[in-house]
Amino acid sequence: MTTQDSGQTRPTPREDAAEDDVAAAVVSRESSSSDIDADVDSILDEIDGVLEVNAEDFVRSFVQKGGQ
Amino acid sequence: MMGIETEYGVSVPGQPHVNAMMMSTAVVTAHAGRSVGDRGASPRWDFEQEAPLRDARGYDMSRAEADPSQLTDEDFGLANLVLTNGARLYVDHAHPEYSSPEVTNPLDAVLWDRAGQEIMCAAAEAATSAGPFPIRLYKNNTDNKGASYGCHENYLMRRATPFADIVKHLTAFFVTRQVFTGTGRVGIGQDGRTNGFQLSQRADFFEVEVGLETTLKRPIINTRDEPHADPERYRRLHVIVGDANLSETATYLKMGTTALVLSLIENSAIGDDLSLADPVAAMHAVSHDHSLTQVLQLADGREMTAIEMQRRFARAARELVNTQPDSSSDKQTQDVLSRWEATLEQLEVDPTALADELDWVAKLRLLDGYRRRDGLGWDEARLALVDLQYSDINPSRGLALRLESSGRLKRLVEPERVAHAMEFPPDDTRAYFRGECLRRYASSVAAASWDSVIFDVPGYEALQRVPTLEPVRGTRAQLEALLDRCETAADLLAALRGS
């Protein structure tokens, strides 16, 4: 990532930095879709409890002025 | 060197007419109030070196021609703070904005961006407790009614790099990086009128290829040329096409891959010209196609998908890194590269497996879940609400943060390090000097900016301006011992004079 001027030594990234081993193999569509649906359903159950009530009014009243 | 500036959406639930500048000011001043013990009179921002109407193509736009929203260097009397972590927290137009301190690598960009998000969250809570309204902040880029606000990236580049090269290669890169940088959006078109899902919050707001504007007729390549550094040596590339990301992985990839492509351009290491036949149309087409199969026309007649084009950039970056002997020791560059390659491969096979890393995939999984479970169509308000609430930065309400706390969205930086970055600057840029001066000598700092710190100390008739035009100077390694010896700002000024 040498967008800075050349000749500058970059600091050694911290050891804990982005350590997760990356390319731990590409996952293909193998897990059964019902397992995935069950996990998503449990997320939705949790989210149902925090979603703002009266979605329509809430979304309609979110009005911003333009920025950059 | 790089940084991220984020304008947050601000609202009071159910009350669209509360004045946005007032709410934004309440948020920023609430932060000042929180720290009032150590910063009685908060130092103001110094505008002397700002020139927002200077164009990288080599001419200035006159103030008479400029739209009033392009004038950011006039102090409208709005709240404007410099923080001890080296960041700027202020009101920009009608939004609270956090501009991160300068950092040297993408993981630090994630860290100080996340610190800013937590600072904003705490400030909104403080403003809510102190004021008449519950104020909510959203890390998103549109209200789905025609308004957009930005999350801008900044990259320091060598002035010698021809701007035409930057435009040529970066346009194709920006159009296609949306496949992993997008935060996802319910609604197509600037006002979201057409039903459906798209990858990016921002894409539909881009109307031209190159230009100076950031608020109207937005260009894919922004030409604002305001380096906040020695202009003979540096250019600050101001990138306005990006989405604000909640996922740390998405921010990391966005900053890391863009920095790599800039390295390629600086080293003239992109052999293949991937210029698009119609970049603006392609920008919209890529965003509107979450199957990622849309074929794009290149200017030379070839046809490729966004993923194929990204693979070519990644391959060139891999070759450059392999030929630079010192870069093999840079673990983070290697990490960005391998994540970039793995992400593209996974996107091609099955994007849903990236729901714990990429915002648009995580958001789409929730939306598809509601569509399936409750039989909702894309026109249902509840889906628009899921889109909006995904970006609420309060951890009890924000859906991205809920996914994160249940381990369904990966983190890259530990909460303890974020807490530290809320108070302390990065060690390895001039932000260290700025932040430490504020932390140690706040009562003697009259103002500060990216390229100066201005002191007001007894014994000097005038304010004393210490320029910081060299972004890589003023680091902890260079200054900590000196600062430790100087008990007061007057000691520091005397020492700087003597040296």
Side-chain angles (χ1 to χ4, degrees), chain A residues 1 3 5 10 27 48 52 62 64-65 67-68, chain B residues 10 92 95 104 136 148 156 233 330 333 346 370:
Chain A
M1 257 114 312
T3 52
D5 203 18
R10 296 168 29 78
V27 184
D48 285 337
E52 306 284 355
F62 182 73
Q64 300 294 294
K65 288 205 162 66
Q68 296 205 32
Chain B
V10 55
D92 192 2
H95 301 271
T104 59
R136 300 205 174 162
S148 184
L156 194 67
R233 301 188 62 203
D330 182 345
T333 300
Q346 186 63 59
Y370 277 107

mmCIF file with all atom_site columns, all heavy atoms in Angstrom, chain A residues 1 3 5 10 27 48 52 62 64-65 67-68, chain B residues 10 92 95 104 136 148 156 233 330 333 346 370:
data_model
loop_
_atom_site.group_PDB
_atom_site.id
_atom_site.type_symbol
_atom_site.label_atom_id
_atom_site.label_alt_id
_atom_site.label_comp_id
_atom_site.label_asym_id
_atom_site.label_entity_id
_atom_site.label_seq_id
_atom_site.pdbx_PDB_ins_code
_atom_site.Cartn_x
_atom_site.Cartn_y
_atom_site.Cartn_z
_atom_site.occupancy
_atom_site.B_iso_or_equiv
_atom_site.pdbx_formal_charge
_atom_site.auth_seq_id
_atom_site.auth_comp_id
_atom_site.auth_asym_id
_atom_site.auth_atom_id
_atom_site.pdbx_PDB_model_num
ATOM 1   N N   . MET A 1 1   ? 0.813   -1.195  0.000  1.00 0.00 ? 1   MET A N   1
ATOM 2   C CA  . MET A 1 1   ? 0.000   0.000   0.000  1.00 0.00 ? 1   MET A CA  1
ATOM 3   C C   . MET A 1 1   ? 0.839   1.233   0.000  1.00 0.00 ? 1   MET A C   1
ATOM 4   O O   . MET A 1 1   ? 0.850   2.019   0.919  1.00 0.00 ? 1   MET A O   1
ATOM 5   C CB  . MET A 1 1   ? -0.900  0.015   1.218  1.00 0.00 ? 1   MET A CB  1
ATOM 6   C CG  . MET A 1 1   ? -2.276  -0.348  0.863  1.00 0.00 ? 1   MET A CG  1
ATOM 7   S SD  . MET A 1 1   ? -2.863  -1.853  1.545  1.00 0.00 ? 1   MET A SD  1
ATOM 8   C CE  . MET A 1 1   ? -1.650  -3.049  1.262  1.00 0.00 ? 1   MET A CE  1
ATOM 9   N N   . THR A 1 3   ? 0.965   4.178   -1.265 1.00 0.00 ? 3   THR A N   1
ATOM 10  C CA  . THR A 1 3   ? 0.522   5.421   -1.878 1.00 0.00 ? 3   THR A CA  1
ATOM 11  C C   . THR A 1 3   ? 1.297   6.589   -1.282 1.00 0.00 ? 3   THR A C   1
ATOM 12  O O   . THR A 1 3   ? 1.241   7.679   -1.786 1.00 0.00 ? 3   THR A O   1
ATOM 13  C CB  . THR A 1 3   ? -0.976  5.670   -1.661 1.00 0.00 ? 3   THR A CB  1
ATOM 14  O OG1 . THR A 1 3   ? -1.241  5.551   -0.284 1.00 0.00 ? 3   THR A OG1 1
ATOM 15  C CG2 . THR A 1 3   ? -1.785  4.698   -2.471 1.00 0.00 ? 3   THR A CG2 1
ATOM 16  N N   . ASP A 1 5   ? 4.733   8.677   -0.168 1.00 0.00 ? 5   ASP A N   1
ATOM 17  C CA  . ASP A 1 5   ? 5.953   8.914   -0.909 1.00 0.00 ? 5   ASP A CA  1
ATOM 18  C C   . ASP A 1 5   ? 6.901   7.746   -0.707 1.00 0.00 ? 5   ASP A C   1
ATOM 19  O O   . ASP A 1 5   ? 6.953   7.148   0.348  1.00 0.00 ? 5   ASP A O   1
ATOM 20  C CB  . ASP A 1 5   ? 6.597   10.198  -0.403 1.00 0.00 ? 5   ASP A CB  1
ATOM 21  C CG  . ASP A 1 5   ? 7.510   10.785  -1.447 1.00 0.00 ? 5   ASP A CG  1
ATOM 22  O OD1 . ASP A 1 5   ? 7.386   10.427  -2.631 1.00 0.00 ? 5   ASP A OD1 1
ATOM 23  O OD2 . ASP A 1 5   ? 8.356   11.583  -1.075 1.00 0.00 ? 5   ASP A OD2 1
ATOM 24  N N   . ARG A 1 10  ? 7.067   1.584   5.999  1.00 0.00 ? 10  ARG A N   1
ATOM 25  C CA  . ARG A 1 10  ? 5.769   1.470   6.625  1.00 0.00 ? 10  ARG A CA  1
ATOM 26  C C   . ARG A 1 10  ? 5.929   0.721   7.932  1.00 0.00 ? 10  ARG A C   1
ATOM 27  O O   . ARG A 1 10  ? 6.767   -0.138  8.063  1.00 0.00 ? 10  ARG A O   1
ATOM 28  C CB  . ARG A 1 10  ? 4.815   0.696   5.709  1.00 0.00 ? 10  ARG A CB  1
ATOM 29  C CG  . ARG A 1 10  ? 4.539   1.423   4.407  1.00 0.00 ? 10  ARG A CG  1
ATOM 30  C CD  . ARG A 1 10  ? 3.856   0.512   3.431  1.00 0.00 ? 10  ARG A CD  1
ATOM 31  N NE  . ARG A 1 10  ? 3.074   -0.484  4.161  1.00 0.00 ? 10  ARG A NE  1
ATOM 32  C CZ  . ARG A 1 10  ? 1.904   -0.208  4.700  1.00 0.00 ? 10  ARG A CZ  1
ATOM 33  N NH1 . ARG A 1 10  ? 1.378   0.962   4.589  1.00 0.00 ? 10  ARG A NH1 1
ATOM 34  N NH2 . ARG A 1 10  ? 1.260   -1.150  5.349  1.00 0.00 ? 10  ARG A NH2 1
ATOM 35  N N   . VAL A 1 27  ? -16.451 -21.517 -0.454 1.00 0.00 ? 27  VAL A N   1
ATOM 36  C CA  . VAL A 1 27  ? -17.609 -22.302 -0.049 1.00 0.00 ? 27  VAL A CA  1
ATOM 37  C C   . VAL A 1 27  ? -18.587 -22.386 -1.207 1.00 0.00 ? 27  VAL A C   1
ATOM 38  O O   . VAL A 1 27  ? -18.945 -21.376 -1.794 1.00 0.00 ? 27  VAL A O   1
ATOM 39  C CB  . VAL A 1 27  ? -18.303 -21.629 1.152  1.00 0.00 ? 27  VAL A CB  1
ATOM 40  C CG1 . VAL A 1 27  ? -19.452 -22.490 1.634  1.00 0.00 ? 27  VAL A CG1 1
ATOM 41  C CG2 . VAL A 1 27  ? -17.293 -21.383 2.259  1.00 0.00 ? 27  VAL A CG2 1
ATOM 42  N N   . ASP A 1 48  ? -36.951 -9.016  14.722 1.00 0.00 ? 48  ASP A N   1
ATOM 43  C CA  . ASP A 1 48  ? -38.358 -8.607  14.870 1.00 0.00 ? 48  ASP A CA  1
ATOM 44  C C   . ASP A 1 48  ? -38.551 -7.773  16.138 1.00 0.00 ? 48  ASP A C   1
ATOM 45  O O   . ASP A 1 48  ? -39.324 -6.824  16.149 1.00 0.00 ? 48  ASP A O   1
ATOM 46  C CB  . ASP A 1 48  ? -39.271 -9.844  14.959 1.00 0.00 ? 48  ASP A CB  1
ATOM 47  C CG  . ASP A 1 48  ? -39.461 -10.504 13.591 1.00 0.00 ? 48  ASP A CG  1
ATOM 48  O OD1 . ASP A 1 48  ? -39.284 -9.822  12.573 1.00 0.00 ? 48  ASP A OD1 1
ATOM 49  O OD2 . ASP A 1 48  ? -39.775 -11.715 13.568 1.00 0.00 ? 48  ASP A OD2 1
ATOM 50  N N   . GLU A 1 52  ? -38.174 -0.982  14.295 1.00 0.00 ? 52  GLU A N   1
ATOM 51  C CA  . GLU A 1 52  ? -39.030 0.140   14.665 1.00 0.00 ? 52  GLU A CA  1
ATOM 52  C C   . GLU A 1 52  ? -40.491 -0.215  14.371 1.00 0.00 ? 52  GLU A C   1
ATOM 53  O O   . GLU A 1 52  ? -40.782 -0.862  13.362 1.00 0.00 ? 52  GLU A O   1
ATOM 54  C CB  . GLU A 1 52  ? -38.660 1.375   13.845 1.00 0.00 ? 52  GLU A CB  1
ATOM 55  C CG  . GLU A 1 52  ? -37.185 1.779   13.919 1.00 0.00 ? 52  GLU A CG  1
ATOM 56  C CD  . GLU A 1 52  ? -36.805 2.464   15.228 1.00 0.00 ? 52  GLU A CD  1
ATOM 57  O OE1 . GLU A 1 52  ? -37.711 2.709   16.056 1.00 0.00 ? 52  GLU A OE1 1
ATOM 58  O OE2 . GLU A 1 52  ? -35.605 2.739   15.409 1.00 0.00 ? 52  GLU A OE2 1
ATOM 59  N N   . PHE A 1 62  ? -38.007 9.670   7.447  1.00 0.00 ? 62  PHE A N   1
ATOM 60  C CA  . PHE A 1 62  ? -36.537 9.790   7.351  1.00 0.00 ? 62  PHE A CA  1
ATOM 61  C C   . PHE A 1 62  ? -36.206 10.612  6.103  1.00 0.00 ? 62  PHE A C   1
ATOM 62  O O   . PHE A 1 62  ? -36.121 10.098  4.994  1.00 0.00 ? 62  PHE A O   1
ATOM 63  C CB  . PHE A 1 62  ? -35.882 8.408   7.287  1.00 0.00 ? 62  PHE A CB  1
ATOM 64  C CG  . PHE A 1 62  ? -34.378 8.452   7.233  1.00 0.00 ? 62  PHE A CG  1
ATOM 65  C CD1 . PHE A 1 62  ? -33.631 8.781   8.362  1.00 0.00 ? 62  PHE A CD1 1
ATOM 66  C CD2 . PHE A 1 62  ? -33.693 8.191   6.053  1.00 0.00 ? 62  PHE A CD2 1
ATOM 67  C CE1 . PHE A 1 62  ? -32.241 8.843   8.314  1.00 0.00 ? 62  PHE A CE1 1
ATOM 68  C CE2 . PHE A 1 62  ? -32.300 8.235   5.997  1.00 0.00 ? 62  PHE A CE2 1
ATOM 69  C CZ  . PHE A 1 62  ? -31.581 8.556   7.128  1.00 0.00 ? 62  PHE A CZ  1
ATOM 70  N N   . GLN A 1 64  ? -33.590 13.474  4.514  1.00 0.00 ? 64  GLN A N   1
ATOM 71  C CA  . GLN A 1 64  ? -32.287 14.112  4.696  1.00 0.00 ? 64  GLN A CA  1
ATOM 72  C C   . GLN A 1 64  ? -32.102 15.243  3.698  1.00 0.00 ? 64  GLN A C   1
ATOM 73  O O   . GLN A 1 64  ? -32.643 15.216  2.595  1.00 0.00 ? 64  GLN A O   1
ATOM 74  C CB  . GLN A 1 64  ? -31.177 13.079  4.495  1.00 0.00 ? 64  GLN A CB  1
ATOM 75  C CG  . GLN A 1 64  ? -31.237 11.924  5.466  1.00 0.00 ? 64  GLN A CG  1
ATOM 76  C CD  . GLN A 1 64  ? -30.979 12.363  6.888  1.00 0.00 ? 64  GLN A CD  1
ATOM 77  O OE1 . GLN A 1 64  ? -29.883 12.790  7.232  1.00 0.00 ? 64  GLN A OE1 1
ATOM 78  N NE2 . GLN A 1 64  ? -32.004 12.282  7.738  1.00 0.00 ? 64  GLN A NE2 1
ATOM 79  N N   . LYS A 1 65  ? -31.292 16.208  4.106  1.00 0.00 ? 65  LYS A N   1
ATOM 80  C CA  . LYS A 1 65  ? -30.808 17.173  3.124  1.00 0.00 ? 65  LYS A CA  1
ATOM 81  C C   . LYS A 1 65  ? -29.602 16.548  2.438  1.00 0.00 ? 65  LYS A C   1
ATOM 82  O O   . LYS A 1 65  ? -28.875 15.773  3.054  1.00 0.00 ? 65  LYS A O   1
ATOM 83  C CB  . LYS A 1 65  ? -30.392 18.460  3.826  1.00 0.00 ? 65  LYS A CB  1
ATOM 84  C CG  . LYS A 1 65  ? -31.577 19.263  4.345  1.00 0.00 ? 65  LYS A CG  1
ATOM 85  C CD  . LYS A 1 65  ? -31.190 20.725  4.463  1.00 0.00 ? 65  LYS A CD  1
ATOM 86  C CE  . LYS A 1 65  ? -32.392 21.640  4.543  1.00 0.00 ? 65  LYS A CE  1
ATOM 87  N NZ  . LYS A 1 65  ? -33.188 21.449  5.763  1.00 0.00 ? 65  LYS A NZ  1
ATOM 88  N N   . GLY A 1 67  ? -25.931 15.988  0.966  1.00 0.00 ? 67  GLY A N   1
ATOM 89  C CA  . GLY A 1 67  ? -24.609 16.358  1.461  1.00 0.00 ? 67  GLY A CA  1
ATOM 90  C C   . GLY A 1 67  ? -23.653 16.202  0.321  1.00 0.00 ? 67  GLY A C   1
ATOM 91  O O   . GLY A 1 67  ? -24.041 16.346  -0.834 1.00 0.00 ? 67  GLY A O   1
ATOM 92  N N   . GLN A 1 68  ? -22.417 15.852  0.659  1.00 0.00 ? 68  GLN A N   1
ATOM 93  C CA  . GLN A 1 68  ? -21.409 15.779  -0.401 1.00 0.00 ? 68  GLN A CA  1
ATOM 94  C C   . GLN A 1 68  ? -21.475 14.459  -1.150 1.00 0.00 ? 68  GLN A C   1
ATOM 95  O O   . GLN A 1 68  ? -21.940 13.484  -0.655 1.00 0.00 ? 68  GLN A O   1
ATOM 96  C CB  . GLN A 1 68  ? -20.046 15.956  0.217  1.00 0.00 ? 68  GLN A CB  1
ATOM 97  C CG  . GLN A 1 68  ? -19.965 17.334  0.810  1.00 0.00 ? 68  GLN A CG  1
ATOM 98  C CD  . GLN A 1 68  ? -18.567 17.828  0.904  1.00 0.00 ? 68  GLN A CD  1
ATOM 99  O OE1 . GLN A 1 68  ? -17.719 17.506  0.086  1.00 0.00 ? 68  GLN A OE1 1
ATOM 100 N NE2 . GLN A 1 68  ? -18.306 18.653  1.890  1.00 0.00 ? 68  GLN A NE2 1
ATOM 101 N N   . VAL B 2 10  ? -29.013 11.977  9.860  1.00 0.00 ? 10  VAL B N   1
ATOM 102 C CA  . VAL B 2 10  ? -29.453 12.379  11.204 1.00 0.00 ? 10  VAL B CA  1
ATOM 103 C C   . VAL B 2 10  ? -30.965 12.598  11.176 1.00 0.00 ? 10  VAL B C   1
ATOM 104 O O   . VAL B 2 10  ? -31.490 13.234  10.266 1.00 0.00 ? 10  VAL B O   1
ATOM 105 C CB  . VAL B 2 10  ? -28.693 13.646  11.674 1.00 0.00 ? 10  VAL B CB  1
ATOM 106 C CG1 . VAL B 2 10  ? -28.827 14.791  10.681 1.00 0.00 ? 10  VAL B CG1 1
ATOM 107 C CG2 . VAL B 2 10  ? -29.138 14.082  13.059 1.00 0.00 ? 10  VAL B CG2 1
ATOM 108 N N   . ASP B 2 92  ? -21.210 19.436  8.594  1.00 0.00 ? 92  ASP B N   1
ATOM 109 C CA  . ASP B 2 92  ? -20.979 19.733  7.187  1.00 0.00 ? 92  ASP B CA  1
ATOM 110 C C   . ASP B 2 92  ? -22.343 19.778  6.509  1.00 0.00 ? 92  ASP B C   1
ATOM 111 O O   . ASP B 2 92  ? -23.032 18.769  6.438  1.00 0.00 ? 92  ASP B O   1
ATOM 112 C CB  . ASP B 2 92  ? -20.102 18.650  6.557  1.00 0.00 ? 92  ASP B CB  1
ATOM 113 C CG  . ASP B 2 92  ? -19.589 19.066  5.187  1.00 0.00 ? 92  ASP B CG  1
ATOM 114 O OD1 . ASP B 2 92  ? -19.883 20.198  4.759  1.00 0.00 ? 92  ASP B OD1 1
ATOM 115 O OD2 . ASP B 2 92  ? -18.889 18.262  4.548  1.00 0.00 ? 92  ASP B OD2 1
ATOM 116 N N   . HIS B 2 95  ? -25.303 17.605  8.045  1.00 0.00 ? 95  HIS B N   1
ATOM 117 C CA  . HIS B 2 95  ? -24.967 16.300  8.622  1.00 0.00 ? 95  HIS B CA  1
ATOM 118 C C   . HIS B 2 95  ? -23.798 16.446  9.585  1.00 0.00 ? 95  HIS B C   1
ATOM 119 O O   . HIS B 2 95  ? -22.884 17.216  9.323  1.00 0.00 ? 95  HIS B O   1
ATOM 120 C CB  . HIS B 2 95  ? -24.540 15.325  7.515  1.00 0.00 ? 95  HIS B CB  1
ATOM 121 C CG  . HIS B 2 95  ? -25.595 15.122  6.489  1.00 0.00 ? 95  HIS B CG  1
ATOM 122 N ND1 . HIS B 2 95  ? -26.561 14.156  6.601  1.00 0.00 ? 95  HIS B ND1 1
ATOM 123 C CD2 . HIS B 2 95  ? -25.867 15.780  5.340  1.00 0.00 ? 95  HIS B CD2 1
ATOM 124 C CE1 . HIS B 2 95  ? -27.378 14.218  5.569  1.00 0.00 ? 95  HIS B CE1 1
ATOM 125 N NE2 . HIS B 2 95  ? -26.987 15.200  4.782  1.00 0.00 ? 95  HIS B NE2 1
ATOM 126 N N   . THR B 2 104 ? -1.632  5.129   7.843  1.00 0.00 ? 104 THR B N   1
ATOM 127 C CA  . THR B 2 104 ? -0.730  4.636   6.792  1.00 0.00 ? 104 THR B CA  1
ATOM 128 C C   . THR B 2 104 ? -1.169  3.320   6.178  1.00 0.00 ? 104 THR B C   1
ATOM 129 O O   . THR B 2 104 ? -0.514  2.837   5.253  1.00 0.00 ? 104 THR B O   1
ATOM 130 C CB  . THR B 2 104 ? 0.692   4.410   7.356  1.00 0.00 ? 104 THR B CB  1
ATOM 131 O OG1 . THR B 2 104 ? 0.601   3.461   8.414  1.00 0.00 ? 104 THR B OG1 1
ATOM 132 C CG2 . THR B 2 104 ? 1.310   5.706   7.846  1.00 0.00 ? 104 THR B CG2 1
ATOM 133 N N   . ARG B 2 136 ? -31.212 10.224  16.155 1.00 0.00 ? 136 ARG B N   1
ATOM 134 C CA  . ARG B 2 136 ? -30.651 8.965   15.658 1.00 0.00 ? 136 ARG B CA  1
ATOM 135 C C   . ARG B 2 136 ? -29.707 9.237   14.505 1.00 0.00 ? 136 ARG B C   1
ATOM 136 O O   . ARG B 2 136 ? -29.968 10.103  13.670 1.00 0.00 ? 136 ARG B O   1
ATOM 137 C CB  . ARG B 2 136 ? -31.775 8.054   15.190 1.00 0.00 ? 136 ARG B CB  1
ATOM 138 C CG  . ARG B 2 136 ? -32.692 7.782   16.372 1.00 0.00 ? 136 ARG B CG  1
ATOM 139 C CD  . ARG B 2 136 ? -33.440 6.518   16.228 1.00 0.00 ? 136 ARG B CD  1
ATOM 140 N NE  . ARG B 2 136 ? -34.168 6.298   17.469 1.00 0.00 ? 136 ARG B NE  1
ATOM 141 C CZ  . ARG B 2 136 ? -35.184 5.488   17.599 1.00 0.00 ? 136 ARG B CZ  1
ATOM 142 N NH1 . ARG B 2 136 ? -35.591 4.788   16.563 1.00 0.00 ? 136 ARG B NH1 1
ATOM 143 N NH2 . ARG B 2 136 ? -35.775 5.339   18.760 1.00 0.00 ? 136 ARG B NH2 1
ATOM 144 N N   . SER B 2 148 ? -28.538 12.432  -1.175 1.00 0.00 ? 148 SER B N   1
ATOM 145 C CA  . SER B 2 148 ? -27.401 11.566  -0.866 1.00 0.00 ? 148 SER B CA  1
ATOM 146 C C   . SER B 2 148 ? -26.335 12.363  -0.144 1.00 0.00 ? 148 SER B C   1
ATOM 147 O O   . SER B 2 148 ? -26.201 13.569  -0.335 1.00 0.00 ? 148 SER B O   1
ATOM 148 C CB  . SER B 2 148 ? -26.815 10.964  -2.145 1.00 0.00 ? 148 SER B CB  1
ATOM 149 O OG  . SER B 2 148 ? -25.774 10.061  -1.824 1.00 0.00 ? 148 SER B OG  1
ATOM 150 N N   . LEU B 2 156 ? -3.157  9.838   -0.295 1.00 0.00 ? 156 LEU B N   1
ATOM 151 C CA  . LEU B 2 156 ? -2.053  10.723  -0.649 1.00 0.00 ? 156 LEU B CA  1
ATOM 152 C C   . LEU B 2 156 ? -1.262  10.082  -1.790 1.00 0.00 ? 156 LEU B C   1
ATOM 153 O O   . LEU B 2 156 ? -0.894  8.915   -1.722 1.00 0.00 ? 156 LEU B O   1
ATOM 154 C CB  . LEU B 2 156 ? -1.141  10.903  0.568  1.00 0.00 ? 156 LEU B CB  1
ATOM 155 C CG  . LEU B 2 156 ? -0.139  12.052  0.476  1.00 0.00 ? 156 LEU B CG  1
ATOM 156 C CD1 . LEU B 2 156 ? -0.863  13.401  0.488  1.00 0.00 ? 156 LEU B CD1 1
ATOM 157 C CD2 . LEU B 2 156 ? 0.843   11.976  1.638  1.00 0.00 ? 156 LEU B CD2 1
ATOM 158 N N   . ARG B 2 233 ? 4.782   18.316  -4.034 1.00 0.00 ? 233 ARG B N   1
ATOM 159 C CA  . ARG B 2 233 ? 5.122   16.894  -3.928 1.00 0.00 ? 233 ARG B CA  1
ATOM 160 C C   . ARG B 2 233 ? 3.906   15.987  -3.942 1.00 0.00 ? 233 ARG B C   1
ATOM 161 O O   . ARG B 2 233 ? 3.992   14.837  -4.380 1.00 0.00 ? 233 ARG B O   1
ATOM 162 C CB  . ARG B 2 233 ? 5.896   16.643  -2.621 1.00 0.00 ? 233 ARG B CB  1
ATOM 163 C CG  . ARG B 2 233 ? 7.187   17.434  -2.508 1.00 0.00 ? 233 ARG B CG  1
ATOM 164 C CD  . ARG B 2 233 ? 7.967   16.990  -1.299 1.00 0.00 ? 233 ARG B CD  1
ATOM 165 N NE  . ARG B 2 233 ? 8.344   15.582  -1.391 1.00 0.00 ? 233 ARG B NE  1
ATOM 166 C CZ  . ARG B 2 233 ? 8.636   14.812  -0.349 1.00 0.00 ? 233 ARG B CZ  1
ATOM 167 N NH1 . ARG B 2 233 ? 8.572   15.311  0.865  1.00 0.00 ? 233 ARG B NH1 1
ATOM 168 N NH2 . ARG B 2 233 ? 8.964   13.565  -0.519 1.00 0.00 ? 233 ARG B NH2 1
ATOM 169 N N   . ASP B 2 330 ? 5.623   -6.992  3.933  1.00 0.00 ? 330 ASP B N   1
ATOM 170 C CA  . ASP B 2 330 ? 4.455   -6.258  4.397  1.00 0.00 ? 330 ASP B CA  1
ATOM 171 C C   . ASP B 2 330 ? 3.263   -7.203  4.477  1.00 0.00 ? 330 ASP B C   1
ATOM 172 O O   . ASP B 2 330 ? 2.561   -7.446  3.504  1.00 0.00 ? 330 ASP B O   1
ATOM 173 C CB  . ASP B 2 330 ? 4.179   -5.104  3.432  1.00 0.00 ? 330 ASP B CB  1
ATOM 174 C CG  . ASP B 2 330 ? 2.993   -4.257  3.880  1.00 0.00 ? 330 ASP B CG  1
ATOM 175 O OD1 . ASP B 2 330 ? 2.225   -4.706  4.750  1.00 0.00 ? 330 ASP B OD1 1
ATOM 176 O OD2 . ASP B 2 330 ? 2.847   -3.153  3.348  1.00 0.00 ? 330 ASP B OD2 1
ATOM 177 N N   . THR B 2 333 ? -0.255  -5.937  3.250  1.00 0.00 ? 333 THR B N   1
ATOM 178 C CA  . THR B 2 333 ? -0.476  -5.888  1.808  1.00 0.00 ? 333 THR B CA  1
ATOM 179 C C   . THR B 2 333 ? -0.793  -7.282  1.279  1.00 0.00 ? 333 THR B C   1
ATOM 180 O O   . THR B 2 333 ? -1.712  -7.465  0.470  1.00 0.00 ? 333 THR B O   1
ATOM 181 C CB  . THR B 2 333 ? 0.766   -5.318  1.094  1.00 0.00 ? 333 THR B CB  1
ATOM 182 O OG1 . THR B 2 333 ? 0.997   -3.996  1.581  1.00 0.00 ? 333 THR B OG1 1
ATOM 183 C CG2 . THR B 2 333 ? 0.562   -5.260  -0.404 1.00 0.00 ? 333 THR B CG2 1
ATOM 184 N N   . GLN B 2 346 ? -15.106 -16.219 -4.371 1.00 0.00 ? 346 GLN B N   1
ATOM 185 C CA  . GLN B 2 346 ? -16.333 -16.596 -3.685 1.00 0.00 ? 346 GLN B CA  1
ATOM 186 C C   . GLN B 2 346 ? -17.555 -15.911 -4.295 1.00 0.00 ? 346 GLN B C   1
ATOM 187 O O   . GLN B 2 346 ? -18.626 -16.514 -4.412 1.00 0.00 ? 346 GLN B O   1
ATOM 188 C CB  . GLN B 2 346 ? -16.227 -16.271 -2.190 1.00 0.00 ? 346 GLN B CB  1
ATOM 189 C CG  . GLN B 2 346 ? -17.406 -16.761 -1.367 1.00 0.00 ? 346 GLN B CG  1
ATOM 190 C CD  . GLN B 2 346 ? -17.535 -18.281 -1.376 1.00 0.00 ? 346 GLN B CD  1
ATOM 191 O OE1 . GLN B 2 346 ? -16.611 -18.985 -0.959 1.00 0.00 ? 346 GLN B OE1 1
ATOM 192 N NE2 . GLN B 2 346 ? -18.652 -18.800 -1.870 1.00 0.00 ? 346 GLN B NE2 1
ATOM 193 N N   . TYR B 2 370 ? -36.983 -12.034 5.076  1.00 0.00 ? 370 TYR B N   1
ATOM 194 C CA  . TYR B 2 370 ? -38.326 -11.465 5.269  1.00 0.00 ? 370 TYR B CA  1
ATOM 195 C C   . TYR B 2 370 ? -39.231 -11.736 4.077  1.00 0.00 ? 370 TYR B C   1
ATOM 196 O O   . TYR B 2 370 ? -40.426 -11.991 4.226  1.00 0.00 ? 370 TYR B O   1
ATOM 197 C CB  . TYR B 2 370 ? -38.232 -9.952  5.530  1.00 0.00 ? 370 TYR B CB  1
ATOM 198 C CG  . TYR B 2 370 ? -37.945 -9.640  6.972  1.00 0.00 ? 370 TYR B CG  1
ATOM 199 C CD1 . TYR B 2 370 ? -36.694 -9.189  7.373  1.00 0.00 ? 370 TYR B CD1 1
ATOM 200 C CD2 . TYR B 2 370 ? -38.929 -9.816  7.940  1.00 0.00 ? 370 TYR B CD2 1
ATOM 201 C CE1 . TYR B 2 370 ? -36.418 -8.918  8.706  1.00 0.00 ? 370 TYR B CE1 1
ATOM 202 C CE2 . TYR B 2 370 ? -38.668 -9.555  9.279  1.00 0.00 ? 370 TYR B CE2 1
ATOM 203 C CZ  . TYR B 2 370 ? -37.407 -9.102  9.656  1.00 0.00 ? 370 TYR B CZ  1
ATOM 204 O OH  . TYR B 2 370 ? -37.161 -8.855  10.980 1.00 0.00 ? 370 TYR B OH  1
#
